[in-house]
Amino acid sequence: MENKAKVILTYFALIVVSLFFLFTGLVQAKAFLAPLSIAALLAMMILPVCSWLEKKGVNRGWAALFSDLIILLFFVLMTGIVATQVKSLAQDWPQIKERIVPKIEQLQTFIASKTGISVEEQNQEISKKIPGGGSGEQEGESSSEQQEPQEQGKSASQSSSGSSLMSTAGNFAAKFFSFLGDFLLTFIYIFFFLLYRDKFRKSILKMVPEKKRDLAQDIIGESTKVSQNYLFGRLILIIFLAILYAIGLSVSGVKQAILISILAAVLSLLPYIGNVIGYVLAVGIALFSGSGATGVIGVSITFGITQFVESYILEPYIVGDKVNLNPVFTIIVVVLGGAVWGIMGMLIAIPAFGILKVVFDQVPVLSPLGYLFGEEGISDDKKNKDNIFKKTKRWAINKFK
């Protein structure tokens, strides 16, 4: 019994240590792995288009290049739309600020009445949290205590502001060129992933014993097919959601409706959390942009209808039900992705997790993990099977397939 306990503890310790080094390595290798991972996912998304072009007689190299350019143009178009909306938001910011400031003052007064913390103390705490927030008062005190010559004060302030400006400009330039390099490198990866995909597949098969190559071929083919449908379906679903959100928010009179629609559609990749964040953003813009209660009601109706259409019509038809992820592990993976790679990791986590589940389902040894990560066996009772939402989902699947 003691030996068995020692073996269990040893394996548990090895798993913990391995996971620690795995996630530490992922964090340290972000600059290398992040563009590679994004390129792999985008290549799988656009692979149906590349295959279609090849079936039409287009050379594989040109098909890969055209597919790569389609993704590039899509991102350039989205960036232009978002930039236009952000510019419009910046122009309306003075009016929005005029509406926000009284609300903040009312909130501070409410907090003061309930907690006894005065508004001045709240402002001091906020200034401490902001970098350089308390520097103004300290400089004022030092200038009143030490009557330094005016010329020396001017030269010191000019030199400090100049060095600060140069430092800020240098940091911005470094981040910009780093982002630009990663952006271009991602599209180079996409091109070569599409161009040499057969070579990658054959190299994997060569690693498998000859007796099991047929099984490995079936696993690769099925995994690739399901993963393509899932990822490409998610991309189409995001476009549909952005259109539905834009129509509803525009009719509701919400300003920057396109910007909010794009953000809410992309945030739908984050289960549960993303929809809530998108809804809060839309309600906040509706309130502070002057839309009032009518805009908030319109936003609520838009998000309610869109979520229903997404869950019970669009998602079953476009994405399908071949990759059903367990909500518990989905949230865990999103949190881990955010801890490892930030927002980028949160967005990558769900598609990567979906691909892993597909592979686990196809490999007999790993099928228990596929079952654990999936939704199989969660809703086995008859009540859950026969409620109105399940009936609507089954009706949508049968109607549109």
Side-chain angles (χ1 to χ4, degrees), residues 22 53 179 212 297 315 337 340 344 375 386 389-390:
L22 172 64
L53 289 173
F179 170 78
K212 297 184 178 180
I297 294 172
E315 189 166 359
V340 174
M344 185 187 299
E375 289 185 333
D386 294 334
F389 297 109
K390 295 290 183 181

Side-chain angles (χ1 to χ4, degrees), residues 377-390:
I378 293 179
S379 302
D380 286 339
D381 55 290
K382 293 182 179 179
K383 291 183 180 180
N384 286 335
K385 284 186 177 180
D386 294 334
N387 63 38
I388 183 64
F389 297 109
K390 295 290 183 181

Side-chain angles (χ1 to χ4, degrees), residues 9 43 61-62 90 98 103 117 121 125 131-132 135 175 200 235 275 285 313 315 323 342 346 392:
L9 290 175
W62 287 108
E98 290 179 1
K103 300 293 182 182
I117 302 174
E121 292 174 342
E125 290 297 325
S135 60
K175 291 180 180 179
F200 295 141
L235 178 62
N275 294 327
I285 295 293
I313 297 177
E315 189 166 359
V323 184
M346 296 175 72
T392 306

Side-chain angles (χ1 to χ4, degrees), residues 43-53 67 194 228-229 232:
M44 295 189 74
M45 283 185 182
I46 203 64
L47 184 56
V49 176
C50 185
S51 300
W52 179 82
L53 289 173
S67 302
L194 294 173
Q228 287 171 11
N229 293 339
F232 192 71

Side-chain angles (χ1 to χ4, degrees), residues 25-89:
L26 288 175
V27 172
Q28 296 297 325
K30 177 183 177 181
F32 168 71
L33 291 178
L36 197 65
S37 302
I38 294 173
L41 292 175
L42 292 177
M44 295 189 74
M45 283 185 182
I46 203 64
L47 184 56
V49 176
C50 185
S51 300
W52 179 82
L53 289 173
E54 292 176 14
K55 290 179 182 179
K56 296 296 181 180
V58 181
N59 179 272
R60 172 163 292 190
W62 287 108
L65 181 60
F66 290 150
S67 302
D68 202 0
L69 290 176
I70 289 173
I71 300 179
L72 178 61
L73 291 175
F74 175 78
F75 277 103
V76 170
L77 179 62
M78 289 297 102
T79 303
I81 294 174
V82 171
T84 303
Q85 293 290 299
V86 170
K87 182 179 179 180
S88 176
L89 179 63

Side-chain angles (χ1 to χ4, degrees), residues 245 249 252-257 259-261 263-264 267 275-289 291-292 295-300 302-303:
Y245 282 133
L249 296 179
S252 303
V254 179
K255 293 184 177 180
Q256 288 82 40
L259 175 62
I260 299 173
S261 301
L263 290 176
L267 287 171
N275 294 327
V276 174
I277 295 174
Y279 175 73
V280 171
L281 284 174
V283 169
I285 295 293
L287 282 174
F288 297 122
S289 63
S291 300
V296 174
I297 294 172
V299 168
S300 301
T302 298
F303 271 76

Side-chain angles (χ1 to χ4, degrees), residues 191-206:
F191 173 76
F192 285 112
F193 281 154
L194 294 173
L195 183 62
Y196 295 126
R197 62 182 185 272
D198 285 344
K199 187 176 182 63
F200 295 141
R201 179 179 57 82
K202 291 177 181 177
S203 64
I204 294 174
L205 291 176
K206 287 181 179 294

